[in-house]
Amino acid sequence: QVQLVESGGGLVQAGGSLRLSCSASERFYSIISMGWYRQVPGKQRELVATFTSTGTTVYVDSVKGRFGISRDNAKNTVYLQMTSLKPEDTAVYYCNVNGRHTYWSGSLNYWGPGTQVTVSS
């Protein structure tokens, strides 16, 4: 199984910035989509930003203009640059990849263990 590991979370004051990184332990044969989700207690996990199957990017309305997703295929890494952070952004952030590990496997959903982001007012 492919392992995903996030890093870069932590404590930050409102208006500050953080950059999250997600690295895969192995290469994928193909990737359908890759991006970031977040979750707070009592609420469903929601999509924050993602690369779609066509290579375009999609953002939830609340982060447009503040967050940017990028990737480095050579390093098997995807990033989430977060600026102008607000207390409402406080959540556990999860990396997600939907793809095929090998030519012979079907598409599966892979998740990282999550990294905590806390924004103080």
Side-chain angles (χ1 to χ4, degrees):
Q1 290 283 336
V2 176
Q3 307 294 317
L4 304 180
V5 179
E6 304 100 336
S7 63
L11 303 173
V12 66
Q13 197 170 40
S17 301
L18 286 173
R19 187 179 73 166
L20 305 183
S21 299
C22 172
S23 296
S25 62
E26 304 173 51
R27 85 285 180 269
F28 286 84
Y29 177 78
S30 66
I31 294 175
I32 305 303
S33 63
M34 58 191 305
W36 294 88
Y37 290 70
R38 66 186 180 187
Q39 188 170 27
V40 299
K43 299 185 69 176
Q44 286 188 301
R45 189 172 298 185
E46 67 174 359
L47 185 147
V48 179
T50 186
F51 285 100
T52 70
S53 60
T54 60
T56 61
T57 56
V58 176
Y59 298 89
V60 67
D61 285 345
S62 61
V63 309
K64 288 180 179 178
R66 301 190 297 118
F67 291 9
I69 188 171
S70 61
R71 60 181 173 174
D72 186 336
N73 291 337
K75 297 181 178 180
N76 297 324
T77 301
V78 61
Y79 305 93
L80 184 67
Q81 179 67 50
M82 305 183 292
T83 63
S84 301
L85 282 162
K86 305 174 180 179
E88 307 93 272
D89 296 317
T90 296
V92 177
Y93 284 71
Y94 297 90
C95 178
N96 170 262
V97 176
N98 184 270
R100 297 167 63 188
H101 180 35
T102 71
Y103 174 82
W104 307 106
S105 62
S107 179
L108 295 175
N109 233 6
Y110 298 87
W111 294 94
T115 185
Q116 177 71 48
V117 172
T118 302
V119 184
S120 63
S121 59

